Structure formats: C-alpha cells, structure tokens
Amino acid sequence: MRLISFTTGVRTSFGIVVGDGIIDAGARLAGEFEGLRDVLAAGALNLLRGMEGLPADLALSDVRFLPPIPDRATKILCVGVNYLPHIKEMGREPPEHPVVFVRFADSLVGHLEPMIRPRESVQYDYEGELAVVIGRAARRVPPERALEHVAGYACFNDGTLRDYQRRGPQWTPGKNFPRSGAFGPWLVTTDEIADPAALTLTTRLNGETVQHERVAELYFDVPQLIAYCSTFTVLEPGDVIATGTPGGVGAGREPPLWIGPGDRVEVEIDGIGKLENPIVDEPDAR
Ligand code: MG
C-alpha cells in the first residue's frame, strides 16, 4: 500500500493512494485515529488493507501532501556519511559507528511543497535519501530481526545549509532550518518492498541527474542502522531513520552547486515514487 498524509485545506487526514486518487481512510474511520502514526501504534494497518478495493474519495490533485508521518512528536534520526563516495567527497574517513543526528519535524515539508532557503545562508544543498518508517516498537533489536520492525519506506531530501552544518561538530543547526528538507511523497509498506537493499535512488536537479546509487551500497545497511539506533533509544511506530545520502551532493562539486529559488529537486526511488519540491527564498530574504 501507498499511504499518504494530506490536508484538504480545511482538515488533515490520511489514506491509501490508488492511481490518481486517495481512499480517505481518516474520514472512513470517523476520526478513530489521529493519523498514520496512530494507526501504526495501534497495529491497525489491516483496517486500511480492508479498504483497498474501495473507490477513491479524493483526487491527489485536490490535496496538499504532508510528510507521511507529520506528527511533531516523531523522532527523525538521520545518518550522515553513509555511502563511500559521499564520505570521500566530504573529506571524511569511513566511520567506525553510524554517524547519527536528528531533525525536527518542522524542518520537513511534503511532496510538491516549497523547500525554503533561509535568509542566513546561500549554501543550500540537496541530499536524496531512503527513509525507513518504524512500524513496531524496537529496543536493542539484532540486525537479523530489524526489518520486522519496519512499516515501510519513503523518499527523503535531507536539505542542508552547509555553512551552518560546519559551524561545529554537531550538525543540528545546518539540518533544521524550518521547511528546509522534504519527506514523501508517501509511505510504501513492506509487503511491496521485501529488501530495501534492492532499491535504487536518483536525485535530479532541474531534471538533471546529480545522484544515482544503489541502496545496496550503504556503508551501514538498514538492519544495522535499526539495530544501532534501537540500542540508544526506543524506536516507536512512526519514527523515521533517514539512511544517508550517496555521492554527488552540491558541496562535493567544484565549484559547489547550491540550490536556490527557481530550482526543483526530485528524489526518486524505484518501487516507492518521486518526491519533488521547488526551492523558494524565505519571504523578505535578501
Ligand atoms: Mg543526509
């Protein structure tokens, strides 16, 4: 299933994407669940599965996409320098352990929503990534059991303000400007993706490919990342792990390739879909 969180402008809801339409599961369940995070926490995906044959209630073009898990309480763990070509282009050594930092939910927008370049920086960079959404709580899970805790996968753009990232050893400021990253377009459940390593990720800037890599090339793979993160925190249903970006980011180029107003970035993963966002300046900037 492709599971979407959306707003009609009047209300927010969630549902199942079928072709160009949405089965509005939130409305059909009459407010029983606040959102997809709630559905996952209740172990109630089967309720959505039971709706799969129903006619669509809305057209995709009638709604605005929210991040698949839009809740403020969601833990968003991001993994840095996790593909060898990207480790190299950033001038770093392969890490002994996964490099993990966090993003706040308000740093992310949904599919087709503008990503915002803040007034403090022009060193705005794209990072196409595979995002893992947790379906079942996980604590100290061994790698061989880790995928049992996954609800599904989505595309992620870990949009970064490089100068703010490099101001200190912790990357929090450069990774958390409001609406500087993106997550979507929807969550694809694991029945459609048995092995995330079989996926391929492509990032395009204004239609031109700037990153293209097999997820199999991850330095720490998805099971290892879930095992590692679940040792230091409880991964709850709806929590997200962004697994890291491949080589080809703008900061790794000579001269650097920054994104700005008028640009469009797409992160496409086969079997998931395409997350596309225009870049705009923060109002009143410069
Ligand atoms: Mg990243």
Side-chain angles (χ1 to χ4, degrees):
M1 285 187 294
R2 300 182 167 203
L3 303 179
I4 181 178
S5 296
F6 62 92
T7 175
T8 63
V10 178
R11 61 187 180 87
T12 63
S13 189
F14 60 93
I16 307 158
V17 175
V18 279
D20 293 336
I22 302 168
I23 300 166
D24 189 344
R28 285 174 179 270
L29 292 167
E32 195 178 333
F33 300 99
E34 278 186 23
L36 282 179
R37 183 182 173 89
D38 234 19
V39 172
L40 295 176
L45 270 188
N46 56 327
L47 286 179
L48 274 56
R49 260 182 231 296
M51 295 181 186
E52 274 192 287
L54 296 174
D57 301 302
L58 295 157
L60 278 176
S61 56
D62 287 341
V63 306
R64 283 174 57 195
F65 287 68
L66 297 173
I69 308 290
D71 312 57
R72 292 286 167 112
T74 300
K75 293 189 199 92
I76 302 158
L77 302 171
C78 299
V79 181
V81 288
N82 200 26
Y83 287 91
L84 279 173
H86 181 57
I87 292 169
K88 229 175 172 179
E89 75 185 350
M90 299 308 277
R92 297 178 188 267
E93 292 299 317
E96 195 178 337
H97 305 286
V99 173
V100 183
F101 60 94
V102 299
R103 286 190 81 118
F104 311 135
D106 69 356
S107 75
L108 299 174
V109 297
H111 176 54
L112 298 177
E113 295 293 304
M115 287 168 57
I116 295 179
R117 182 174 74 168
R119 59 188 65 171
E120 287 81 6
S121 174
V122 295
Q123 295 191 15
Y124 193 15
D125 207 348
Y126 53 83
E127 291 194 356
E129 308 196 5
L130 170 72
V132 178
V133 178
I134 297 297
R136 198 150 62 77
R139 185 76 207 279
R140 301 194 179 100
V141 176
E144 57 274 18
R145 306 296 304 263
L147 293 185
E148 298 169 20
H149 294 262
V150 176
Y153 302 92
C155 306
F156 198 91
N157 188 337
D158 182 25
T160 304
L161 286 307
R162 292 294 179 200
D163 45 352
Y164 273 78
Q165 179 187 6
R166 290 168 172 155
R167 284 187 169 194
Q170 304 290 336
W171 302 352
T172 308
K175 297 286 190 175
N176 279 288
F177 277 85
R179 304 177 75 84
S180 60
F183 176 28
W186 39 63
L187 165 66
V188 178
T189 51
T190 49
D191 52 311
E192 295 187 23
I193 299 170
D195 180 11
L199 301 172
T200 299
L201 182 152
T202 304
T203 308
R204 295 183 201 89
L205 173 56
N206 302 324
E208 205 165 301
T209 297
V210 286
Q211 297 185 290
H212 184 70
E213 186 67 277
R214 296 177 329 129
V215 172
E217 297 300 319
L218 276 173
Y219 193 69
F220 296 104
D221 66 14
V222 171
Q224 287 175 297
L225 295 176
I226 292 169
Y228 185 72
C229 291
S230 77
T231 57
F232 67 82
T233 190
V234 181
L235 295 174
E236 304 276 8
D239 286 350
V240 179
I241 301 175
T243 54
T245 202
V249 299
R253 295 165 188 267
E254 190 54 55
L257 178 60
W258 306 128
I259 54 176
D263 288 336
R264 290 187 86 82
V265 183
E266 301 167 18
V267 179
E268 183 165 16
I269 301 176
D270 58 335
I272 297 180
K274 186 166 71 176
L275 168 68
E276 180 176 345
N277 300 89
I279 311 300
V280 302
D281 258 337
E282 186 178 343
D284 304 316
R286 283 175 281 273

